[in-house]
Structures are given as C-alpha cells and as structure tokens.
Amino acid sequence: VTNGAQEALDLVSKIFIDPKDKVAVEVPTYLGAISSFRNYQSDFLTVGLENDGMNIHELEEKLRKMSEEEREKIKMIYTIPNFHNPAGVTLSLEKRKHLIEISQEYDIPILEDDPYVELRYSGEEIPSIKSLDKNGNVIYMSTFSKIFAPGMRLGWIVADEEVAKKITVAKQGTDLCTNVFCQYLANEYITSGAIDRQIPKIRKLYKGKRDKMLEALEKYFPEGCEWNKPDGGMFIWATVPEKIDTEKMFPEAVKENVAYIHGAAFCVDGSGHNAMRLNFSNADEEKIEEGIKRLGNLIKKKLGN
Amino acid sequence: VTNGAQEALDLVSKIFIDPKDKVAVEVPTYLGAISSFRNYQSDFLTVGLENDGMNIHELEEKLRKMSEEEREKIKMIYTIPNFHNPAGVTLSLEKRKHLIEISQEYDIPILEDDPYVELRYSGEEIPSIKSLDKNGNVIYMSTFSKIFAPGMRLGWIVADEEVAKKITVAKQGTDLCTNVFCQYLANEYITSGAIDRQIPKIRKLYKGKRDKMLEALEKYFPEGCEWNKPDGGMFIWATVPEKIDTEKMFPEAVKENVAYIHGAAFCVDGSGHNAMRLNFSNADEEKIEEGIKRLGNLIKKKLGN
C-alpha cells in the first residue's frame, strides 16, 4: 500500500532506473509518470498510441532494431491499459497478450498503471495484463483516488515476490509506511459494502458527463478537429488543426473560464502541440456544454484569423 | 507537509545527494536517516557524539584537513539536536552556534532533524539551530508522530525559499501531496487546543518511564556498563563491556522477552558492537523494571562466561 499511485510510480522508478536508463512510454502519456521517471534521470523510448492502445508493432520494431547494449538500457515498459490518461483509449486483449510476449522475449518488465479500471461506462471488461501474465514480469498498480477520495492518498502495487521485497525496502527508506488511519477508513469502506454502492453511482454520474461532452464536441467543435470516444475514465483527447498551438491558446481559454491541459505536456517526443486533454469528471453537465461551446468558438475564431 | 519525517529525509536526500557524495553524520545516528542517504548512494563523513552533542571540533578538523575537491562532496551536515536518536544527548547552545559558523564557512547546509523537541522532561529549552541561523543555511524538519499519532504520517520541513521550491517539485514527483484528511485532523487537533492538553500528559508519562529506567539501570546493570541520562525524548544509549557483542546477544534477550536495537546498526563507521539503544516510551513502568532486570542478568551471565 502506497501513498497514492504517484508514490507507486516513484518507488518502482527508484528500484529500476539508474541515470541514462530508458523507459518505454506511450506518446502521449501520464504527466506524473514522466515526472517520476525524470526524477531518476531516465530517458525515454517513445511508442505511438492507436485507438486500441499502444502501437505494439512499433515497440517491437524499435526493440528489434536496437543493439543488445541499447536494449539493456530499457528498464520498463510503462502503459495505462484502461481509459488512458490523457488519451482515453483502451489496450485491446490481443495487444495485451502481444505485449506480454515482447516483455518475455526481451526480459523487460511491464509497469501496468490502472487507476481507472472501475470507471467503465460502455464496452466489455478486459482482463488486466498482470492477470494474463504467467511469468511475474508485470508490476500492477492502482489507487483508491478515483473510487474513494484522492485526499486519502492510498494506492497499491501488486508484484512478483522478489520485486515486492525490493519495493518494501525502498518504501521503508522513503516514508516508513502509508498513513494507517486512512488505511483503516478504506478497509471500512470496502468491508461495509459502501464501495459496492458507490462505484455504480460514480459510473452513472461520469457516463452522463462523458456523453454530454461528446455531444457538445459534435455540436460546437469546427471541422478539422478530432477526438476519441472513451469507454470509461475521465478524459477525452482532442486534436485541433495544425496551425493552432494549444499551449499558446491556453491563456485565452482561461479568459473564457475554460481550462484544459495542452497536449505537448504529455508528449516526451516534442509532439502534441495541437492537442488537448479534456476532463469531463469535474464540471456538471450544463457547464460541460457551455465550456465546450466556448472552446469551440475560440478555435473557430483562431482558424478564422 | 510531508508523509512523516521519513519522507522529509527522503526528499532532502533526493535534491541534495548524487551518487558518491557524502553526508556528515554523527556516530551513532538515526537508522532511517542512514537508509535515506544510502538510497541515494551517499557516503559518510563520520563525527563522534559527546554528552553535549556532536563533536563539532572533530567535524571542523576533518573539514579543514580536506582538499577543496573532497569538501565539495560533502552535501549536508545531518544532526538530531534534541534528545538524539539513538544517543539521547542534546546539542548545547554554544555548539549550535559553532555549527552554524562551520556551515557558513564551508557553505554546507545543515539538516536539523527535530522530532523530539516537545518531549523535554528536565533542563532548559535550547533554541533550534534554524532559529539561530541568519543565512538560510539550515533545513529544519519535524513530525507529528511523537505528539499526535505516528500512523497519521505527518511531518514537515521548514527551509529557505529556494530549497523549499525544489523540495516541492520533488514532492510532486514522489507522491503529489500528503494525505489531506489527516492534515485536517491535525489542524483540528491544534486549533481545538487538544495538543496543548496532550503534550503535558505525554511529558509526564514519559518522564516517569525515563526515571524508572534510569533507576532500574542503576540497580540491575553490572559494573563496566555505562549509559547517559537524557533530558527528554525516548531513548537511552547504553554501552556494555567490550567483550559483549550486543547483536549476537540479541536472540538471547528476545528469549527473555526483552528487546533493544544493537548499537552497530546506528554506526556507519563499523563501531557500536557493544552498545544498545533502550526505548523507555512504550512499556509501562513495571515492565521497564522487569525488562532492565532481565537484561542486566543476561549481561552478568555473559560476563561470567
């Protein structure tokens, strides 16, 4: 049990990464993961994202073309399989199996970061990579932040015994243990059955918000914009025409009281300048519609320039 | 606000220590600090402890004799000024001032680890090193663990703005933030005045236990044993005759249902084999007497061998 999922990322980085090592990451990928890996002076091997998750063929090709020495620098494959942050996509069952084969062939562990698994609003559940792996090559991590309360700072790691022991030692040096009081609260939340009543409520609430945002995007975003339709989670990844820089546009959006995170922040290869992450979990449906309308108008105005 | 004082140690280590750097530490010093520094591949400059705290003259001599290059490797001076863990001693006012001068002269920051400051049972309060320093060269850290509850995992760092900013960035990469719910509880504990009623109770309770342990040591420990009389905190540091190895003796003590931590665990220079840290905060007074009696008998038996 860790101090939120962010500590799980930090501990795994601490035990796997030496300076100049590399982590294979999706482009785009989670900001907090980039920051954890960079803290340990990691470089990156970048892999594209498709509608059914990481481009496994690209990963395989890149690994195959490397010298053995280069390959030994790759210490982890980091992936967010369900309702990707920021991209919203989900890794298909077939690709999960393929990823395990690659991990096996090149002896590179997979770090499976799965905070949104309980937040599915459509489509069928897919088994975790961890559950499909027979060789102890997958480190699974998740959190209570999306299904209990983020302020509790409760995350967890499931790993092979040898790795788990190393993480435990690192954890003791980092902060001895995770707050015990909040662990008791989480235990009560689970054993009382409250969690089983709460998750369907969260799903219903967020599903309505997702549908509203998709509807509003269709209605207000101009031609040349694209976005995906996530089956769950909290995020939609939208791209706008090339000529718009979403980082530069951000202050204007804030003036209109709309916020997003610009795409480049999630991309370690310098791409993403014309993308943005939209979060539909926070605002109510009315505000979502109004926000997307304002953002759509701003984009139209930019394109008209 | 950190996830316990251990995280404060980890974050400060993270921003100051590169592999092969050195931290100046007392011998003996806190186990958790050793483990934090080692996590970042630190080496050590060791300094002895006297009854009035760190041997500042030894530190000064060692620094003076170093080449500039060697000195640049020293990234911190780590000290526990009040009721040292494990040694129980307190750094005198004069030495605190002297330490600030050294820190100033060689431009080495001081990390002041002060978890026990509120647990004074005798003698007069001494101002913190941080409060005596005018140059922002001291990083002060403490914790709620000894005055609220350890399971809350609440510690804090006070540092110069520039250092504080770096720590904040490191903290975000490590675990985003400290559990918010427990921070609310601590806030209530302070603002309601409960803390002001609780600390005198803790002091009274622990003072009785300290006195009982000192009395029992006098009564049951054989000649050739020595120990200090701490003005506060939770620990007494006892040395036994050279021929006894406290690490080897430990299993026999456990058989008698008495525990301590063997001295060598606290000493990064390989010393401490005939020392032990005794903790008087946990057991009740009756058990303290019985425990010290059993330990005294065991030592006598060993010496008789």
Side-chain angles (χ1 to χ4, degrees), chain A residues 3 10 14 36 151 153 175 180, chain B residues 3 10 14 151 153 175 180:
Chain A
N3 196 34
D10 182 69
K14 200 176 233 172
S36 280
R153 312 305 306 137
D175 59 8
V180 180
Chain B
N3 197 35
D10 181 69
K14 201 176 232 174
R153 310 307 303 136
D175 59 8
V180 180

Side-chain angles (χ1 to χ4, degrees), chain A residues 3 6-7 10 14 18 30 35-36 39-41 151-153 170-182 185, chain B residues 3 6-7 10 14 18 30 35-36 39-41 151-153 170-182 185:
Chain A
N3 196 34
Q6 189 66 36
E7 192 190 44
D10 182 69
K14 200 176 233 172
D18 287 322
Y30 173 52
S35 133
S36 280
N39 273 345
Y40 295 91
Q41 302 178 39
M152 292 291 172
R153 312 305 306 137
K171 169 86 180 158
Q172 279 165 359
T174 303
D175 59 8
L176 294 181
C177 66
T178 298
N179 57 96
V180 180
F181 189 74
C182 295
L185 293 180
Chain B
N3 197 35
Q6 190 67 37
E7 192 191 43
D10 181 69
K14 201 176 232 174
D18 287 321
Y30 173 52
S35 133
S36 280
N39 273 344
Y40 295 91
Q41 301 179 42
M152 293 291 170
R153 310 307 303 136
K171 168 85 180 159
Q172 278 165 358
T174 303
D175 59 8
L176 294 182
C177 67
T178 298
N179 57 95
V180 180
F181 188 74
C182 294
L185 292 178

Side-chain angles (χ1 to χ4, degrees), chain B residues 54-120:
Chain B
M54 188 192 276
N55 187 336
I56 309 284
H57 285 290
E58 185 189 337
L59 172 66
E60 196 169 25
E61 278 306 300
K62 284 189 170 172
L63 287 173
R64 189 181 303 167
K65 282 179 185 157
M66 280 180 181
S67 69
E68 200 160 324
E69 200 185 354
E70 280 178 303
R71 224 153 34 212
E72 275 172 7
K73 287 274 168 202
I74 316 282
K75 294 298 170 70
M76 269 192 283
I77 301 165
Y78 172 72
T79 185
I80 305 150
N82 293 307
F83 327 126
H84 193 281
N85 177 6
V89 300
T90 293
L91 192 65
S92 68
L93 179 60
E94 197 186 346
K95 282 188 167 181
R96 291 179 195 217
K97 291 177 180 166
H98 192 172
L99 190 57
I100 291 171
E101 286 166 20
I102 294 174
S103 147
Q104 191 63 11
E105 185 177 346
Y106 296 111
D107 196 23
I108 306 173
I110 298 168
L111 177 56
E112 180 177 22
D113 185 5
D114 200 16
Y116 315 106
V117 59
E118 300 289 351
L119 307 182
R120 180 178 278 282

Side-chain angles (χ1 to χ4, degrees), chain B residues 69-300:
Chain B
E69 200 185 354
E70 280 178 303
R71 224 153 34 212
E72 275 172 7
K73 287 274 168 202
I74 316 282
K75 294 298 170 70
M76 269 192 283
I77 301 165
Y78 172 72
T79 185
I80 305 150
N82 293 307
F83 327 126
H84 193 281
N85 177 6
V89 300
T90 293
L91 192 65
S92 68
L93 179 60
E94 197 186 346
K95 282 188 167 181
R96 291 179 195 217
K97 291 177 180 166
H98 192 172
L99 190 57
I100 291 171
E101 286 166 20
I102 294 174
S103 147
Q104 191 63 11
E105 185 177 346
Y106 296 111
D107 196 23
I108 306 173
I110 298 168
L111 177 56
E112 180 177 22
D113 185 5
D114 200 16
Y116 315 106
V117 59
E118 300 289 351
L119 307 182
R120 180 178 278 282
Y121 322 129
S122 51
E124 291 216 345
E125 273 185 43
I126 306 174
S128 70
I129 310 173
K130 177 81 191 157
S131 71
L132 296 166
D133 171 56
K134 289 182 186 75
N135 305 290
N137 239 349
V138 181
I139 302 160
Y140 179 91
M141 51 175 280
S142 190
T143 172
F144 277 106
S145 290
K146 313 298 182 285
I147 51 174
F148 185 25
M152 293 291 170
R153 310 307 303 136
L154 290 175
W156 65 87
I157 302 174
V158 183
D160 203 42
E161 202 177 329
E162 200 187 331
V163 173
K165 271 187 197 160
K166 284 185 188 155
I167 292 173
T168 305
V169 173
K171 168 85 180 159
Q172 278 165 358
T174 303
D175 59 8
L176 294 182
C177 67
T178 298
N179 57 95
V180 180
F181 188 74
C182 294
Q183 291 190 57
Y184 274 109
L185 292 178
N187 184 53
E188 184 64 25
Y189 180 62
I190 296 165
T191 54
S192 70
I195 192 171
D196 300 317
R197 293 190 297 277
Q198 186 63 14
I199 287 177
K201 280 188 209 166
I202 301 175
R203 280 192 190 142
K204 196 180 161 201
L205 181 75
Y206 285 179
K207 182 185 192 300
K209 292 179 177 199
R210 175 199 65 172
D211 293 344
K212 175 56 79 177
M213 190 176 271
L214 288 171
E215 197 187 298
L217 282 164
E218 204 64 63
K219 202 159 152 190
Y220 300 111
F221 265 39
E223 226 169 298
C225 297
E226 285 179 359
W227 57 89
N228 62 334
K229 296 175 183 54
D231 277 330
M234 299 156 63
F235 310 111
I236 293 174
W237 180 254
T239 53
V240 298
E242 274 287 338
K243 65 178 277 200
I244 295 181
D245 182 323
T246 50
E247 185 171 4
K248 284 191 189 140
M249 189 174 77
F250 185 71
E252 295 173 63
V254 168
K255 250 186 243 164
E256 302 276 342
N257 280 316
V258 204
Y260 55 80
I261 304 190
H262 67 273
F266 300 95
C267 300
V268 292
D269 65 352
S271 68
H273 81 274
N274 63 328
M276 57 174 79
R277 188 192 77 172
L278 301 166
N279 180 334
F280 55 80
S281 69
N282 194 26
D284 62 36
E285 292 190 18
E286 206 172 308
K287 281 196 180 140
I288 287 174
E289 167 140 24
E290 180 62 28
I292 295 296
K293 185 175 168 185
R294 290 183 195 178
L295 208 48
N297 287 339
L298 182 60
I299 295 165
K300 285 175 197 159

